[in-house]
Amino acid sequence: MNIVVLISGRGSNLAALLEAKLPATVAAVISNKADAAGLALARAHGIPALVVAHRDYGSRAAFDAALAAAIDRHAPALVVLAGFMRILTPGFVGRYAGRLINIHPSLLPSFTGLDTHRRALEAGVKIHGCTVHFVTPELDHGPIIAQAAVPVLEDDTEVTLAARVLAEEHRILPQAVRWFAQGRLVIVDGRVRVADEL
Ligand code: GAR
């Protein structure tokens, strides 16, 4: 099973996927930013690492069409957004319906969008975390595959809280991809059920 991973930066979730020994092949890594550190990581693993720079396109639709063309060359069964920081058009999302997943650094539906750790601290929540979900046209709202919670400690800063959440991201993203590769994710009425292992 081929997967394509989309990134925008550091690539630590990509690293977690590559270390997880998944029953799937990362066929390509694509970044919308040429300076994404995750591209070098992909190349070090011998994985094709491509840039489709959003700045080169005049509209979201044109960028998404170029991105889809780059993805489809690798015929992936699954596309993983691993720190990909662009909003995707409904057309793009529809093209990959049921085979596009995202890791988000909050316990959705709380704290959609950006600056999740700062906003969690400001809200005074005692529990924070991360979510892997299927992508639907509404930002950060699709069916939830996996979540992990961490405590928010009294002396936390954005940096310490983000690090605690990130360690859990590195656990649940490979877990979700493994379940997908095993054909165990079933969406019923907008909710994900993880079927028993055969
Ligand atoms: C991760 O924390 C991921 O959850 C977040 O970006 C970071 C990427 O780190 N994604 C989003 O905020 C998506 N809206 P990484 O490049 O080291 O994997």
Side-chain angles (χ1 to χ4, degrees):
M1 190 193 103
N2 273 358
I3 66 180
V4 168
V5 180
L6 305 189
I7 63 167
S8 296
R10 180 176 54 187
S12 71
N13 277 291
L14 168 66
L17 290 173
L18 295 175
E19 283 159 22
K21 304 210 186 334
L22 296 167
T25 303
V26 178
V29 172
I30 305 174
S31 173
N32 64 306
K33 293 177 119 188
D35 62 357
L39 289 169
L41 176 73
R43 292 190 185 112
H45 280 78
I47 298 165
L50 324 161
V51 178
V52 181
H54 61 274
R55 291 185 191 285
D56 291 349
Y57 298 89
S59 67
R60 281 194 192 276
F63 168 67
D64 282 7
L67 189 59
I71 292 169
D72 290 350
R73 250 170 251 135
H74 300 277
L78 176 68
V79 179
V80 179
L81 307 181
F84 186 70
M85 303 302 281
R86 298 294 299 173
I87 292 174
L88 295 161
T89 56
F92 181 97
V93 172
R95 181 187 192 95
Y96 299 103
R99 56 190 182 108
L100 179 61
I101 69 173
N102 179 48
I103 176 87
H104 182 76
S106 78
L107 289 173
L108 292 174
S110 292
F111 309 118
T112 61
L114 299 175
D115 299 321
T116 55
H117 307 307
R118 178 176 59 71
R119 288 159 56 216
L121 288 171
E122 283 171 4
V125 295
K126 304 301 184 198
I127 304 266
H128 185 42
C130 50
T131 303
V132 182
H133 64 97
F134 283 106
V135 176
T136 55
E138 194 181 352
L139 182 70
D140 298 332
H141 267 85
I144 292 170
I145 301 166
Q147 292 186 302
V150 302
V152 180
L153 306 180
E154 271 177 19
D155 56 357
D156 262 335
T157 64
E158 265 187 78
V159 172
T160 58
L161 183 55
R164 194 173 307 120
V165 172
L166 192 65
E168 293 301 308
E169 294 185 36
H170 296 165
R171 190 173 62 76
I172 68 169
L173 182 59
Q175 173 71 268
V177 172
R178 187 179 303 279
W179 283 335
F180 185 94
Q182 292 170 335
R184 293 169 62 190
L185 298 180
V186 189
I187 306 177
V188 182
D189 294 336
R191 289 185 229 169
V192 178
R193 193 171 66 80
V194 184
D196 290 341
E197 209 161 356
L198 288 178

